[in-house]
Amino acid sequence: SRSRGDFALISAYSDGELVLGKGRFGGRPLFYTTRQSDGSFLACSRLGPLVAAVDDAKVSVEALAAFLLWQAPPDPEQTLYQHIRRVPSACILRLGREGPHAREAIPCDVMPSRRASIADLTAELRSHMVRAIERGIGVEDDVGISVSGGVDSSFLLAMLLRVASRRGLPRIHAVNMQSEATGDDRPHLRTLCKALGVDPLRSGPADCAALLYDSLVVDGAPLGWPGASFDIRMTEMSRELGASVLLTGVGGDDVFNGDFRLFSDRARRGHLISAVLGASMLKGWRGATSRHRVRHLVLYPNVRQLLGDRATRFIRRARRPKSAWAGARLTAIAGAGLFDRRPVARPPCTERSSLCDLMSDANYAEAKESNAQFELKGGCSRVAPYMDDDLVEFLASLHPDLAFHGGWVRGLLREAMNGLVPDDVRLREDKATFEIAFTDLVQGAGGFGSFGSLLEMTALADHGLV
């Protein structure tokens, strides 16, 4: 329970026992296996060395199928290799000669009930952000930061400038990936930079084209993010500017968006008018109409609740696309319902914070492994202050309606930004998309024709997946 921070831990004991641990919100990647030839345990923060060291590194077809279908695998601790496993988030494992024999969870069980004045809460939020940034950068003199003109990165930049002003260090190197887009970030970034006196080093999708092919597989595993080249390039840019740490806004959506169950919970408790009005007037949610918000935030969650688990699983199966490209083995795996996840019965949002569930979220473990791949290719550490333990616990302790202060998604965050960044940025409702950037990236790399050998997918065909 005292284990804090974004870490991975390996401790070896003289009796041959290993203790492996990972931080709560994704942690740092950590993998382990048993070498069958001599029975020895191997653990490493990178996957590639373990793949090279095991006797027979066969691919786990089920895990690969889940990866292809963008689904959580049935066993979230299984890597893409049969005999190599990952340490889950928020967990301490003890491994003896007979394998894992003890497991201890690092808890996060916070009651979301706290209320206070908005002025007090925003001041406290700023203080937590300062401490999260200070923990993230440590004693480094040169720090990079990824800025876009979005709400998350703008607040992070403003708070980093406050830390630097108070300490006299670090030197700040802002980097930006700019592109034409729906919900274009560029006008907001210009406004932000003018107000804060920052001139970021800019790059574009075409500048990342040379990275595209090599970014497909890093450290013995595929990189499943279309924008991986962008992340690697910004990491490289920070290193080239002299920074050894790059701050990112990763996790901002999760910790500040708020728990949208609030509206369906209100309706279920008999406060239907309050739920409908709150959802219909909510600003900053996907640019949707008021009718769309009411359907998705109030009506649909309660319909699913009434239908129950079996009906929900039936609907999910009925909506599953029948893909002509799917091979016989993938079709059989999908038909067997291997990836059908039972809807988890969750308590009302006023009884348990959804932020506590981030610890067991398989997407976070995957995102952290991808983050390590970005670091490996880019040569610079990446830190996400929004996933700082103390900051997440503070936000998890607040009553859910405080996140929607003023009728805004991220209402508390926007209020904390007041006076730090221009209102054009603070109160923006749109969010940039990446379709045009991805197109420019592929075209800069020579178009899809340059990847002809990969588009044949012969290796996946060998596994019966395509």
Side-chain angles (χ1 to χ4, degrees):
S1 63
R2 296 190 300 273
S3 301
R4 318 287 289 180
D6 184 26
F7 70 89
L9 168 73
I10 302 176
S11 185
Y13 290 84
S14 57
D15 61 358
E17 186 175 76
L18 286 181
V19 174
L20 311 178
K22 274 178 64 173
R24 292 195 288 184
F25 304 109
R28 288 276 161 173
L30 189 56
F31 310 97
Y32 67 94
T33 187
T34 303
R35 189 160 52 194
Q36 296 179 351
S37 60
D38 59 9
S40 60
F41 289 112
L42 307 173
C44 189
S45 58
R46 288 177 53 190
L47 187 60
L50 287 184
V51 175
V54 297
D55 303 315
D56 187 10
K58 291 182 179 179
V59 169
S60 168
V61 177
E62 289 77 13
L64 184 56
F67 187 89
L68 284 175
L69 297 174
W70 206 254
Q71 298 287 328
D75 180 0
E77 296 179 29
Q78 176 65 59
T79 69
L80 290 172
Y81 298 93
Q82 288 182 7
H83 301 299
I84 301 177
R85 299 180 64 77
R86 62 173 55 87
V87 178
S89 303
C91 184
I92 307 294
L93 286 180
R94 289 183 176 271
L95 281 74
R97 297 192 181 280
E98 70 283 4
H101 64 82
R103 177 184 297 250
E104 180 179 351
I106 304 173
C108 177
D109 194 9
V110 181
M111 178 68 72
S113 58
R114 184 181 169 200
R115 290 186 180 275
S117 71
I118 292 298
D120 289 343
L121 291 176
T122 54
E124 194 170 347
L125 173 55
R126 290 182 180 185
S127 296
H128 277 290
M129 273 303 302
V130 166
R131 291 194 291 272
I133 290 171
E134 289 177 336
R135 279 189 287 269
I137 63 178
V139 296
E140 301 296 337
D141 293 338
D142 291 87
V143 173
I145 180 170
S146 172
V147 295
S148 64
V151 174
D152 297 332
S153 66
S154 299
F155 182 54
L156 184 59
L157 175 61
M159 298 308 297
L160 177 59
L161 289 170
R162 175 169 286 199
V163 170
S165 174
R166 190 173 69 182
R167 292 177 20 174
L169 284 172
R171 291 175 289 273
I172 298 171
H173 308 285
V175 295
N176 168 252
M177 184 61 58
Q178 61 176 354
S179 174
E180 179 185 354
T182 303
D184 203 332
D185 280 330
R186 291 175 296 178
H188 300 289
L189 181 63
R190 286 194 292 269
T191 301
L192 178 73
C193 292
K194 182 178 179 180
L196 300 184
V198 173
D199 185 18
L201 177 63
R202 293 172 171 84
S203 188
D207 301 323
C208 306
L211 295 168
L212 180 54
Y213 195 95
D214 286 342
S215 72
L216 296 178
V217 176
V218 179
D219 190 31
L223 252 175
W225 308 100
S229 301
F230 305 154
D231 286 290
I232 292 171
R233 178 61 190 138
M234 286 192 287
T235 309
E236 284 182 344
M237 291 160 62
S238 296
R239 185 200 65 211
E240 291 163 1
L241 290 170
S244 53
V245 174
L246 171 66
L247 299 187
T248 74
V250 170
D253 289 350
D254 301 279
V255 300
F256 288 122
N257 270 3
D259 193 333
F260 294 108
R261 292 180 299 161
L262 177 72
F263 302 99
S264 59
D265 284 356
R266 281 180 184 171
R268 211 155 31 240
R269 293 197 308 269
H271 305 295
L272 181 60
I273 294 177
S274 172
V276 170
L277 286 177
S280 64
M281 298 174 65
L282 187 64
K283 294 171 284 189
W285 190 69
R286 301 181 184 176
T289 64
S290 59
R291 183 177 299 178
H292 183 90
R293 290 191 291 269
V294 171
R295 282 203 306 265
H296 284 267
L297 298 179
V298 180
L299 178 61
Y300 292 168
N302 282 303
V303 169
R304 286 194 292 268
Q305 181 90 1
L306 290 172
L307 289 176
D309 290 358
R310 289 187 178 181
T312 302
R313 289 200 298 275
F314 175 80
I315 292 171
R316 284 180 177 174
R317 287 193 182 190
R319 292 174 60 189
R320 180 182 294 149
K322 306 298 188 293
S323 301
W325 57 265
R329 196 166 184 182
L330 183 63
T331 301
I333 290 172
L338 188 63
F339 306 122
D340 285 346
R341 289 173 291 175
R342 289 181 175 274
V344 179
R346 300 170 67 187
C349 62
T350 52
E351 294 181 11
R352 175 180 166 84
S353 173
S354 62
L355 295 181
C356 295
D357 297 329
L358 294 179
M359 295 189 307
S360 57
D361 193 326
N363 292 328
Y364 265 95
E366 184 178 337
K368 280 306 186 77
E369 289 176 18
S370 297
N371 188 71
Q373 291 169 294
F374 300 152
E375 292 179 333
L376 195 61
K377 293 291 288 185
C380 181
S381 296
R382 294 167 56 93
V383 172
Y386 288 140
M387 299 310 298
D388 178 82
D389 288 63
D390 290 349
L391 175 63
V392 175
E393 282 190 354
F394 162 69
L395 294 169
S397 72
L398 304 181
H399 192 279
D401 60 12
L402 291 169
F404 302 106
H405 171 70
W408 281 90
V409 174
R410 309 186 191 199
L412 182 63
L413 170 63
R414 295 178 196 269
E415 188 61 34
M417 296 170 69
N418 196 6
L420 295 179
V421 303
D423 283 351
D424 285 352
V425 177
R426 181 175 73 92
L427 300 178
R428 64 176 295 190
E429 294 194 52
D430 57 353
K431 194 175 180 71
T433 60
F434 292 93
E435 286 83 356
I436 296 175
F438 293 153
T439 303
D440 292 344
L441 173 67
V442 174
Q443 288 177 345
F448 281 111
S450 300
F451 300 89
S453 61
L454 295 180
L455 293 177
E456 294 174 1
M457 300 190 185
T458 53
L460 292 176
D462 290 342
H463 290 296
L465 296 176
V466 301

